[in-house]
Amino acid sequence: MLLSHRARLFELWRIAATYRIDTHLSLEEMPQLQPIARLIRLHPAAWGKKHQPNAIKYALEDMGTLFLKLGQLLSTRRDLVPPEIIEQLVQLQDKVKPFDADVAIAQIQHPKHGLGQPITTLFSRFDVKPLAAASIAQVHTAALHDGREVVVKVVRPDIRATIVSDFELLRELAGWASARIEAARAVHIIDIVEDYRQVMLNELDLTLEADNTTQMRNNFLGSALMYVPEVYDAAKNVMVMERIQGVPISQVEVFDKLGYDRATLAEKGLTIFFTQVFRDNFFHADMHPGNVFVETPPVKDLYDDTAQLGHEPRYIGLDCAIMGTLSRDDQLVVARMLLAVMNNNFTAVVDIVSRAGWIPPNADKHALMRDMKRTVGPMLQKSINDIDFAGVLMQILDIARRHHMSIPPQLMLLLKTLVHVEGLGRDLYPELDIWSLAKPILSGWIKEQLDPVRNLQQLRQQLPELLLSTTDIPKLLDQGLQSLATQGSRQDSQLREIQQIRADMLNDRRRDWLALSGFAIFIAIATQVGLFAPVFYLLAIVVVVWRVLA
């Protein structure tokens, strides 16, 4: 029940009113949000305040860790969120005040969720000053007793309980919105909350990040493209891994000083991405500049003109908390869709996404195709060096949002990662031609997947299992006949459910008018009674709160 979260709801109400986020809501596109906008304006914190730029960004930062991370995740969902709000979400920063080193040590030594040993037993040196601090965890440098330099990642104390509690509230709000707002049902808001809940809880368990890091390390062992540090130990709240020598990819002046070929580095980055997606089907889905490093000589030698790495510089894979995988069908859809965009074939794009089941049954496919040709087509008429591949994808996702397309979350992770990779590559080398590099990789992979000899070999391997499954055919036929027999009663039940939903919506509208009328009456009385005005103002607020929680 929402009432059990009343203290948190009032706090969120105050923050929303302080920043007047109602002025950022698309009330014309979603008139169902009008009651929420009016409620925000009623709070005293909103009185006398006007539209504030970046208000949603600042509000989410004030609301706490969950809402900050949720905003960062939603910044990748351009298929769900309007562009003007996306522009604010992408600015969200993950830098927060570090917690005390004594608390970090207690987390490391914890017998259940830590490493269960004294800090002096685990390390010959532990640096109490954090190397970095974020909303989920912070990192300390240390040394093992055999001399190996390591970094120690420690989850913030008591953060799990706060995030779980906030997600319970979000799930209640999602259910409330889904029952009342058509747009919320169209984007499956309850499923989105559940998906992000799992992503965040996975980030809190460092054993999962350790497993992801080890798997990616094994995928690139001996590779000239990327190096993934070794994980030495891990528990739920602590991870110890090899310390690397490198600098963030954004520090291009260091690469110039060391004589690195930026064009080669940019091409390597794109090759790594496509290798992860199509060879390994296990890709890093959080490749912002803070997570992408490039090998360098030891720090003390960085500005020595004679410093040598000893081999061609490689990328370094860090922070593997959020990883993505795709089904074989989704891999084929992605590859074919990207090739169709590259070939300026929007008829094929619409056909591909339609066959994938991403377009609602009542969607106008011709209108969708016209929108793509009109919006994206001119962008593809430019020369290769002038084409903004990320911009093309963003335009396609904007069109997807307008046509209520249902895009799988894993695919959104992939597209977000591709946009980041292309952006990082072009920051390194502005003339980077992602199309020329991607096209042969995609074409070759599709040919390999559709190769009849390869498919026959797979069929031969699966033949014993297929033969065994034929014994289930009689049972499946019987189940199919029973399903047909009960289909009529199910349709009657669904019709009754639809009628009940309609009745509930009518009741909600009546409550809206009742609450609005009561609010107006109490406000009108409050302006006339003088001494007793606060009582009627309080009653007006109670009426509004009753309607929100009902």
Side-chain angles (χ1 to χ4, degrees), residues 3 8 53 84 89-90 132 152 184 186 205 227 278-279 284 286 307 311 329 386 421 426 470 522 526:
L3 197 58
R8 185 64 166 139
E84 57 272 16
L89 298 182
V90 296
V152 185
D205 189 346
Y227 180 80
F278 295 109
R279 186 195 71 181
H284 197 303
D286 194 23
H311 55 77
D329 289 342
D386 293 333
V421 169
R426 287 202 167 169
T470 58
F522 285 131

Side-chain angles (χ1 to χ4, degrees), residues 33 65 86-87 157 216 220 282 318 447 463 472 479 521:
L33 296 178
T65 298
I86 288 285
E87 291 176 4
M216 192 164 72
F220 283 89
F282 188 72
L318 298 174
K447 289 178 182 177
L463 189 58
D472 293 331
Q479 290 175 349
I521 291 170

Side-chain angles (χ1 to χ4, degrees), residues 350-376:
V350 174
D351 182 61
I352 291 166
V353 298
S354 177
R355 290 175 182 272
W358 299 350
I359 300 178
N362 59 347
D364 187 341
K365 295 181 183 179
H366 295 291
L368 176 59
M369 189 163 50
R370 284 197 305 270
D371 278 355
M372 285 192 173
K373 284 184 177 180
R374 182 174 61 251
T375 307
V376 183

Side-chain angles (χ1 to χ4, degrees), residues 261-293:
D261 186 338
R262 283 208 248 162
T264 301
L265 277 179
E267 290 178 0
K268 277 185 177 181
L270 285 172
T271 303
I272 289 170
F273 170 77
F274 288 113
T275 300
Q276 288 182 338
V277 173
F278 295 109
R279 186 195 71 181
D280 304 329
N281 192 19
F282 188 72
F283 60 91
H284 197 303
D286 194 23
M287 295 184 70
H288 59 74
N291 286 343
V292 182
F293 279 58

Side-chain angles (χ1 to χ4, degrees), residues 187-206:
V187 301
H188 309 291
I189 189 170
I190 295 176
D191 293 337
I192 292 171
V193 169
E194 286 298 324
D195 287 337
Y196 287 156
R197 177 179 181 275
Q198 195 57 53
V199 168
M200 290 242 0
L201 291 180
N202 287 348
E203 278 200 76
L204 295 178
D205 189 346
L206 295 186

Side-chain angles (χ1 to χ4, degrees), residues 500-512:
Q500 183 60 47
I501 290 172
R502 184 174 181 180
D504 290 343
M505 292 177 67
L506 290 174
N507 287 332
D508 285 337
R509 290 181 183 176
R510 292 190 190 100
R511 292 192 190 103
D512 287 340

